[in-house]
Amino acid sequence: MKPGETVIAMRGITKRFPGVLANDHVDIDIKAGEIHAILGENGAGKTTLMNILYGLLQPDEGEIFVYGEKVTPKSPKDMIDLGIGMVHQHFMLIPTFTVVENIILGLESSKEPFLDVDLAEKKIIELSEKYGLKVNPKAKVWQLSTGERQRVEIIKALYRGAQVLIMDEPTSVLTPTEVEELSKILKRMAKEGLAIIPFITHKLPEVMAISDRVTVLRKGRVVGRFETKLTDEKSLAREMVGREVLFKLPKSEVKKGKVVLEVRGLWAQSDFGVSALKGVSFSIREGEILGVAGVAGNGQRELAEVIAGLRRAVAGRVLIDGRDVTNLPPREIIKQGLGHIPEDRMGMGLILDFSIAENIILETHSDPPFAYRWILPFKKRWFIDQDEVDKYAEKLLLEYNIVAAGKDTLARHLSGGNLQRLILARELSREPKVLVANQPTRGLDVGATEFIRRKLLEQRDRGVAILLISEDLDEVMSMSDRIAVLYEGEIMGILPAEKADMKEVGMMMAGSKRAQSLEEPA
Amino acid sequence: MALPVVEISAAIIEMSTPLLIAALGEIFVERSGVLNLGIEGMMLVGAFSGFAGAYFSGNFLFGFLIGLVVGMSIGALMAYLSVKLGVDQILAGLAIWIFSIGLSTFLARTILGIAPGTVTIKGLEPINIPLLSQLPILGPILFQHNILVYLVLISVPLFHILLFRTTFGLKVRAVGENPKAADTLGIHVHRIRFLCLLLGGAMAGLAGSYLTVARYHVWIEEVTAGMGWIALVVVFFGKRSPYRALLGAWIIATGFSLRYYLQIAAFWIPYQFILMLPYILTIILLVGIVGKEETPAAFCIPYKREET
Amino acid sequence: MKGFSSKMPSRSILLPPMAILLALAIGALTILALGINPIFAYAALFQGAFGSLHSLTETFVKASPLLFTGLAAAVAFRCRVWNIGAEGQLYMGAVVTTWAGLTLVEVPAALLIPLLILLSFAAGAMWAVIAGALKAKFKVNEIILTLMLNFIAIYFVSYLVEGPWRDPSGITYSPPLTTSAWLPTLVSGTRLHLGILLAFVCAVFISLLFRKTVLGYKIQAIGANPEASRYAGIEVSKTIIIVMVISGGLAGLAGMGEIAGVQHRLMSGFSPWYGFLGILVAMLGKLRPFGIVVASILFGGLLVGGDAMQRVGGVPAPLVFVLQGLIVLLLLFYEHVFARFARS
């Protein structure tokens, strides 16, 4: 395949879903030897286009040409056979399998019906040397870092003969250092004649760093085509959103009050019984946001859970408003004034088969005014007052702009943004003193993201102490008053936001640098 | 009181056989991400149909074949409900189990008449392996059994190889761990799970017919007496691999085989308490493996392709 | 005021009757294959179940334990706690009932019967809590646990009636209970006893539990998403144990009703799998108390009518067990086929 040759041509691709025109006559050409980024917000039609390109969806109109020949793929397998591979955002790997097993899964073996691990290993090593994709084929995937897992995904595609590589949000889970590494690998692969198509939502600096060309999608349409060299972040952003973008939300000056959340020397174990937190200490004052940056899996989830009483602290203490709440039952900690936005909205935050109203009282169902005693001579409140619940739910629906048919709508039928609004409504309406927000805007569109961030800032201005945990470094940088970097269960350092720069934080995320003070003087 | 160790050991090998047959099939079912709670029912229906097959044909091999095929068709029913339609695996399994109790009893009373206990067959004769069976101690323990006992013992390593050394086994394990990932690689998740349930049903049916054809030579209502459920524990204990399942089956079979000897040797213990033994042992085993269990990540979750 | 988690869309109320009809049709074909006229057989079944005052009361006699065990299953299943040990819990309820009826001969009925209710509830609850506590504390699989406990309870009863409680006459029954422990009959000349009223009262209570109470909310929250419930501060372990107490207690009451209301003595195998059939009753009733009331009467009718069908029509009675299983399987099938249909 010669560099510059058109590998894939998409012509007039149109796809409709009930009520949405996801792709509207999209034309894109992909050439061999280039890195061609597709940029667009959540809801711009990127995912649909990607799924069409990968054969998961069939377009309603339009044609796809591969090497000039028209194709009508019915499943990913057809596209794999044409040499088009995919690297998913959430890696499609099996943690308990070795790297080799993951790579040869589903392929015919040379010793059918038996596996031929040795031959596969040899081929993998060849590929990894050719493109600089360092990986140990014998390792189990759960032992690998995120960067290594991504390399396994890439090899998996190449092993199947991919000449074109679709990559879904390839940089979203990587540290800045790993992004640089990836960029090198991709360039090397492009040089060898491969075509690479990264789909990117909002990591504009990385689009600039990685790609040769950019196609911008908005509301299902192509709104711009750029040579990367001839454009800049600002114009890309303008095309993508359709208006000037504020990179930073306006943040008011708030007088910091007393310390509300204090964490001292916290140790905890992960689900696998290894230490996930190793002596974490910090404190947050009234009206302050402490952002926790870090690559996923470095103890973020455990930190949030220990504070909320959902995971045992092996050592150390958690204090809310000076009161020791370490290892108290979750309910007690909630009563002490903790609000918690868990990372997994659908799994941990809400009950999808409950209505909006039922979800709103998930934490307060046994407290007045929702529970009452009736005539029973017990201290405990045994009965639920549905009228109170309904009234309250209706109030919150309005206050938080939750778009739903009504309070009786099942949570299952809400969009991601509305689900998060529902959680926010429930948590904030209790007027917590401390708010732990874990990945509050992950996977949300721009509108919902902005709403959530505004609400968080509003809470900060009200005097709430907020622990903001996010894998989105931009979010941490722009929202926080101070930034703590978590790496392998330890805090690498805490920096005031105005003094933190991307590069330094990036280095700390990779564990290579520790700032002088672990805790700035109180 | 000296226990007849050799006889008991030989009995353990024999008693573990039906447990192991059912467990080997269930290992594949669970590795593919499905919990087959219908297994007791499949065994029970297999037990009756195997008996009927052997009785009417006069050929025990035919009996086993019928038991296997009928077990497989109940497996297909379970697969249709739980894999194809995505019915809650627990509800589907429970329904199939109770349905099977009724089915086996109804068929037996219809086909064999009202007093089924009087109908017997000539069952399997033990085969003494030349030379080996003459060995002291080991001979009577290992080499004086019926053909199925040998076959099952040989199957354990074969099933191990199938699960861990073949492309099919890799697919089965992948489907149980991450069906979505398997799907993106062109593996038909439903087809693999369906196949595993067919295998699981066939093995359960064979295990059931072992009871009637090879062991008791007579149809008894509810002959399985919870053995399917115990097979599930054997699989849990065995962490879904054949060798450890073998060990689990032997442990519980100890409870079964001691029943016979203790009823004679320890006549002062009411026999009902001795009969409880395997069930109590099962509970102990179940509590003992707590926390050490490694379930496939997608265990018990029906797979549906997301519609974007 | 309406209840929590209104999951069932209203038109799916038609599915259970459809499942019943198709199961009966398949049953008819089977009867035909036996060379018997299915209309004749079904007429015998219906006549036997609902055709006279006597048969109607007998249907309710059978429906009573099924209603108890059906509710027992529903309470647990709503919480996604899989108590399939109602059979054993029922046996334990029967054991303490027998004990009280054999020992407390001096106690007048007005005192003894409430005591029987309390004792049997407690016994069933205790048997279930063994499994519940192990599940809550150590996450032991409760399905197998409760099942194994069934076998142990059944052997225990067998031991009692062949051992210490063996009737002096030598048969393997216990002696009859003192008459003050007999549940009063509601219609004279029939076996319809107080138990059925108690079962209806329980159904009302469980319905209120699900719809109006904090505990009911917690049970259903855990059933729908245990992880989110834990995150919201609901005490999952404690609730699971309470669920097991209620579920096991209801099953224990079924055992009490059978011994004090029907048999008046303990014997092996007095339950034609009421505990297991209760699971089917609960599934057919969609885990809703009202549905379970209807389903238990239907299943009770099938049990009684099945005997009549065998006597009059010559169709083996176990056919009704096949029908009962088939009804629930078809219901599962319909629900999912219709759910797909509704989606597309």
Side-chain angles (χ1 to χ4, degrees):
Chain A
M1 169 160 83
K2 284 194 293 291
E5 182 190 353
T6 301
V7 190
I8 297 178
M10 300 178 92
R11 291 281 172 273
I13 297 293
T14 300
K15 180 78 187 175
R16 294 178 196 87
F17 291 112
V20 207
L21 187 56
N23 283 168
D24 185 3
H25 295 92
V26 173
D27 295 330
I28 293 179
D29 285 318
I30 308 285
K31 297 198 174 76
E34 74 168 4
I35 304 177
H36 186 149
I38 313 277
L39 186 66
E41 294 189 282
N42 284 319
K46 257 185 337 193
T47 313
T48 307
L49 186 66
M50 191 167 60
N51 285 337
I52 289 173
L53 194 51
Y54 190 51
L56 264 178
L57 289 175
Q58 282 73 49
D60 298 331
E61 291 169 33
E63 296 168 320
I64 305 171
F65 299 88
V66 178
Y67 300 119
E69 246 170 77
K70 195 182 158 188
V71 295
T72 44
K74 292 277 171 281
S75 76
K77 200 161 178 311
D78 297 343
M79 278 319 214
I80 295 171
D81 292 344
L82 287 166
I84 297 172
M86 168 99 182
V87 174
H88 298 266
Q89 179 185 10
H90 303 289
F91 300 144
M92 291 294 169
L93 296 174
I94 294 159
T96 51
F97 281 17
T98 63
V99 169
V100 191
E101 286 178 323
N102 267 290
I103 289 171
I104 60 175
L105 176 59
L107 293 176
E108 288 245 326
S109 139
S110 52
K111 291 191 196 156
E112 223 29 73
F114 298 102
L115 295 168
D116 189 353
V117 174
D118 297 335
L119 182 71
E121 256 174 35
K122 240 172 57 200
K123 275 167 82 178
I124 290 165
I125 290 169
E126 268 167 38
L127 276 174
S128 77
E129 276 167 3
K130 184 169 173 195
Y131 296 108
L133 292 155
K134 237 176 59 192
V135 71
N136 170 13
K138 287 195 171 72
K140 297 248 175 179
V141 164
W142 61 265
Q143 301 168 316
L144 304 183
S145 73
T146 320
E148 289 174 301
R149 287 182 201 203
Q150 191 173 47
R151 296 204 280 276
V152 176
E153 277 281 6
I154 294 173
I155 296 177
K156 200 162 93 180
L158 297 178
Y159 194 92
R160 287 166 168 70
Q163 294 295 315
V164 179
L165 212 57
I166 308 166
M167 300 186 83
D168 187 10
E169 305 284 349
T171 60
S172 67
V173 289
L174 303 179
T175 63
T177 340
E178 285 175 320
V179 170
E180 258 171 54
E181 231 172 286
L182 174 69
S183 160
K184 270 187 223 146
I185 294 171
L186 294 187
K187 287 197 168 130
R188 189 158 162 190
M189 286 165 49
K191 210 177 235 165
E192 296 278 345
L194 268 68
I196 297 157
I197 319 169
F199 282 71
I200 294 179
T201 306
H202 52 234
K203 301 249 176 173
L204 294 173
E206 283 145 28
V207 172
M208 297 302 295
I210 290 180
S211 67
D212 302 318
R213 282 208 292 161
V214 187
T215 297
V216 183
L217 285 182
R218 183 174 5 121
K219 291 186 179 152
R221 266 185 247 167
V222 174
V223 293
R225 296 188 173 87
F226 300 92
E227 293 279 329
T228 312
K229 276 179 288 194
L230 306 177
T231 185
D232 57 38
E233 274 184 49
K234 252 212 155 107
S235 27
L236 285 179
R238 200 184 318 114
E239 287 303 329
M240 185 170 97
V241 186
R243 60 181 159 92
E244 290 292 332
V245 203
L246 292 173
F247 277 101
K248 283 200 172 180
L249 283 171
K251 216 162 50 176
S252 54
E253 275 306 309
V254 180
K255 203 177 157 336
K256 312 287 181 252
K258 60 179 181 0
V259 169
V260 198
L261 176 69
E262 193 172 354
V263 171
R264 279 194 219 141
L266 208 57
W267 285 74
Q269 292 190 328
S270 75
D271 290 343
F272 307 107
V274 296
S275 288
L277 294 178
K278 305 166 186 165
V280 168
S281 300
F282 58 82
S283 59
I284 311 178
R285 296 171 172 279
E286 282 176 335
E288 186 181 39
I289 298 183
L290 176 71
V292 176
V295 178
N298 273 290
Q300 290 95 325
R301 178 179 175 184
E302 287 80 5
L303 179 61
E305 287 187 345
V306 173
I307 294 174
L310 297 161
R311 182 179 294 273
R312 268 193 67 77
V314 181
R317 302 215 290 159
V318 179
L319 297 103
I320 291 179
D321 231 356
R323 210 165 294 152
D324 192 343
V325 298
T326 324
N327 291 334
L328 287 185
R331 206 179 138 61
E332 288 305 309
I333 301 179
I334 290 169
K335 281 195 169 157
Q336 291 298 326
L338 177 86
H340 184 191
I341 301 173
E343 57 175 328
D344 175 4
R345 290 187 270 284
M346 302 197 228
M348 305 162 175
L350 293 167
I351 295 181
L352 294 182
D353 285 322
F354 270 22
S355 71
I356 289 175
E358 288 158 7
N359 267 298
I360 280 187
I361 57 165
L362 201 53
E363 288 150 337
T364 44
H365 54 266
S366 40
D367 302 324
F370 307 126
Y372 65 101
R373 274 194 195 101
W374 197 42
I375 48 172
L376 294 178
F378 301 108
K379 208 168 155 218
K380 229 169 138 181
R381 293 165 184 271
W382 281 30
F383 297 92
I384 287 185
D385 188 336
Q386 197 66 42
D387 296 336
E388 286 289 340
V389 176
D390 290 349
K391 253 193 342 216
Y392 191 68
E394 265 157 16
K395 194 181 118 211
L396 291 187
L397 274 184
L398 287 178
E399 223 171 279
Y400 286 83
N401 295 333
I402 300 169
V403 184
K407 59 176 171 33
D408 296 328
T409 307
L410 293 188
R412 183 175 291 291
H413 301 313
L414 298 183
S415 70
N418 282 312
L419 290 175
Q420 194 68 319
R421 278 172 210 213
L422 178 55
I423 294 182
L424 217 59
R426 184 182 72 208
E427 297 301 312
L428 301 187
S429 64
R430 288 192 288 110
E431 306 200 335
K433 290 184 222 159
V434 178
L435 185 65
V436 174
N438 196 353
Q439 320 298 344
T441 63
R442 183 158 65 191
L444 302 184
D445 62 32
V446 171
T449 302
E450 223 177 87
F451 179 87
I452 305 280
R453 289 186 182 163
R454 268 183 213 288
K455 279 284 175 192
L456 290 179
L457 288 175
E458 220 175 275
Q459 292 296 306
R460 162 184 174 269
D461 297 349
R462 260 195 53 231
V464 177
I466 300 178
L467 181 71
L468 171 67
I469 302 174
S470 178
E471 282 158 31
D472 181 348
L473 196 48
D474 297 330
E475 178 166 81
V476 174
M477 299 286 271
S478 64
M479 298 276 295
S480 316
D481 296 298
R482 284 184 300 141
I483 297 166
V485 181
L486 204 55
Y487 175 75
E488 294 201 338
E490 283 181 78
I491 288 191
M492 293 284 109
I494 299 178
L495 310 164
E498 59 276 10
K499 287 189 200 144
D501 80 315
M502 221 38 156
K503 194 141 193 194
E504 190 184 4
V505 173
M507 301 282 277
M508 287 159 72
M509 280 165 73
S512 57
K513 193 196 158 193
R514 190 183 284 257
Q516 282 79 7
S517 63
L518 276 180
E519 176 78 352
E520 71 176 18
Chain B
M1 179 178 71
L3 284 174
V5 176
V6 172
E7 278 88 344
I8 291 178
S9 305
I12 289 172
I13 301 290
E14 195 279 325
M15 293 282 171
S16 67
T17 301
L19 284 177
L20 200 55
I21 299 174
L24 285 176
E26 177 66 10
I27 284 172
F28 273 77
V29 176
E30 294 196 8
R31 283 277 181 174
S32 78
V34 180
L35 174 64
N36 178 15
L37 284 186
I39 186 170
E40 168 90 359
M42 295 170 194
M43 266 182 91
L44 194 52
V45 176
F48 169 73
S49 43
F51 177 79
Y55 173 65
F56 289 110
S57 71
N59 182 339
F60 68 86
L61 273 180
F62 189 71
F64 286 137
L65 186 69
I66 294 288
L68 190 138
V69 169
V70 171
M72 195 192 282
S73 24
I74 309 260
L77 178 63
M78 175 75 187
Y80 182 75
L81 287 172
S82 67
V83 177
K84 190 83 202 312
L85 294 180
V87 175
D88 187 313
Q89 291 175 7
I90 295 181
L91 292 181
L94 290 177
I96 283 181
W97 164 49
I98 304 176
F99 169 72
S100 302
I101 298 179
L103 187 66
S104 62
T105 318
F106 169 71
L107 289 178
R109 295 215 191 145
T110 312
I111 295 174
L112 303 177
I114 298 300
T118 53
V119 183
T120 57
I121 53 171
K122 192 170 144 310
L124 279 190
E125 293 297 322
I127 301 172
N128 292 343
I129 307 251
L131 295 176
L132 289 176
S133 59
Q134 306 303 321
L135 289 174
I137 302 176
L138 276 184
I141 293 179
L142 283 174
F143 302 108
Q144 301 180 3
H145 291 289
N146 67 56
I147 176 93
L148 235 67
V149 176
Y150 301 127
L151 281 180
V152 171
L153 286 176
I154 294 167
S155 308
V156 172
L158 293 182
F159 272 71
H160 179 89
I161 290 169
L162 183 61
L163 188 56
F164 293 107
R165 300 264 180 278
T166 67
T167 47
F168 174 73
L170 191 68
K171 284 182 199 166
V172 169
R173 289 182 288 136
V175 160
E177 290 286 348
N178 190 343
K180 211 170 153 191
D183 196 9
T184 62
L185 296 175
I187 295 170
H188 299 275
V189 176
H190 284 184
R191 195 181 295 165
I192 298 278
R193 289 187 169 174
F194 215 106
L195 277 175
C196 286
L197 269 166
L198 288 184
L199 177 67
M203 295 292 278
L206 183 65
S209 45
Y210 178 91
L211 292 175
T212 47
V213 178
R215 186 184 290 168
Y216 300 127
H217 309 163
V218 63
W219 163 251
I220 308 161
E221 281 179 13
E222 318 219 16
V223 63
T224 48
M227 230 170 278
W229 302 101
I230 294 174
L232 285 181
V233 177
V234 166
V235 174
F236 292 164
F237 174 83
K239 293 188 175 171
R240 301 169 181 81
S241 29
Y243 287 121
R244 285 203 48 150
L246 178 67
L247 180 67
W250 281 348
I251 292 175
I252 289 179
T254 312
F256 278 109
S257 60
L258 276 178
R259 293 213 295 202
Y260 292 87
Y261 293 94
L262 287 182
Q263 277 185 48
I264 303 159
F267 55 88
W268 36 271
I269 306 175
Y271 76 94
Q272 291 94 345
F273 289 98
I274 294 169
L275 290 180
M276 290 177 194
L277 223 98
Y279 305 106
I280 295 171
L281 210 56
T282 304
I283 291 179
I284 293 171
L285 217 56
L286 197 59
V287 175
I289 53 176
V290 161
K292 292 168 215 129
E293 226 198 313
E294 296 151 14
T295 40
F299 192 46
C300 237
I301 307 167
Y303 179 69
K304 244 185 280 166
R305 218 182 242 179
E306 274 166 37
E307 289 131 33
T308 334
Chain C
M1 198 155 96
K2 48 158 229 42
F4 313 120
S5 105
S6 24
K7 259 184 260 174
M8 189 164 69
S10 53
R11 61 164 182 263
S12 66
I13 201 131
L14 286 174
L15 297 181
M18 282 176 61
I20 293 165
L21 282 180
L22 186 58
L24 287 177
I26 294 173
L29 289 178
T30 315
I31 295 169
L32 204 59
L34 294 175
I36 298 164
N37 182 347
I39 299 173
F40 179 66
Y42 278 159
L45 186 144
F46 188 82
Q47 189 70 26
F50 305 106
S52 66
L53 177 69
H54 176 261
S55 54
L56 201 60
T57 57
E58 277 302 300
T59 290
F60 276 92
V61 167
K62 299 274 185 202
S64 157
L66 290 175
L67 182 48
F68 278 123
T69 54
L71 292 170
V75 171
F77 288 10
R78 279 273 184 118
C79 196
R80 287 190 78 81
V81 174
W82 303 105
N83 176 19
I84 53 172
E87 194 73 25
Q89 292 141 21
L90 176 153
Y91 269 77
M92 294 320 266
V95 166
V96 290
T97 303
T98 311
W99 172 82
L102 294 178
T103 353
L104 307 175
V105 284
E106 307 292 312
V107 183
L111 258 178
L112 187 56
I113 286 170
L115 189 68
L116 288 182
I117 293 173
L118 282 178
L119 280 177
S120 59
F121 188 93
M126 200 198 68
W127 205 240
V129 160
I130 296 175
L134 285 170
K135 177 189 169 61
K137 265 258 163 314
F138 305 111
K139 297 196 162 55
V140 182
N141 183 323
E142 77 278 17
I143 299 179
I144 295 175
L145 216 49
T146 48
L147 209 108
M148 294 297 124
L149 287 169
N150 285 343
F151 287 106
I152 294 173
I154 291 169
Y155 282 126
F156 184 57
V157 164
S158 152
Y159 158 71
L160 288 175
V161 298
E162 291 180 34
W165 287 355
R166 191 178 195 140
D167 192 69
S169 73
I171 45 169
T172 53
Y173 292 167
S174 79
L177 313 189
T178 171
T179 43
S180 53
W182 294 21
L183 294 183
T185 47
L186 302 177
V187 181
S188 62
T190 70
R191 301 201 294 172
L192 190 65
H193 56 86
L194 191 66
I196 187 73
L197 279 188
L198 187 63
F200 282 132
V201 171
C202 286
V204 174
F205 267 121
I206 298 300
S207 171
L208 289 175
L209 174 79
F210 285 149
R211 285 174 29 240
K212 308 256 180 183
T213 69
V214 171
L215 178 63
Y217 177 88
K218 288 182 186 168
I219 290 174
Q220 291 167 79
I222 293 171
N225 186 342
E227 192 64 359
S229 304
R230 195 172 75 89
Y231 268 68
I234 294 174
E235 314 88 333
V236 176
S237 300
K238 197 174 125 191
T239 311
I240 286 176
I241 290 180
I242 296 174
V243 162
M244 273 309 221
V245 166
I246 299 175
S247 177
L250 287 167
L253 289 179
M256 186 278 299
E258 281 312 283
I259 299 303
V262 180
Q263 312 290 358
H264 303 138
R265 62 196 331 165
L266 188 64
M267 62 192 75
S268 286
F270 68 87
S271 153
W273 302 125
Y274 285 131
F276 298 145
L277 291 179
I279 296 170
L280 294 185
V281 166
M283 282 173 158
L284 180 59
K286 300 299 303 156
L287 306 186
R288 289 158 174 246
F290 178 73
I292 294 170
V293 168
V294 176
S296 66
I297 295 170
L298 176 79
F299 271 41
L302 280 174
L303 286 179
V304 176
D307 289 336
M309 190 167 65
Q310 176 164 327
R311 260 195 332 271
V312 182
V315 180
L319 180 66
V320 303
F321 290 117
V322 180
L323 288 179
Q324 289 170 341
L326 206 54
I327 288 171
V328 173
L329 283 174
L330 288 169
L331 182 62
L332 289 174
F333 167 76
Y334 275 141
E335 276 172 357
H336 282 76
V337 168
F338 273 69
R340 290 198 157 188
F341 193 66
R343 244 184 281 131
S344 55

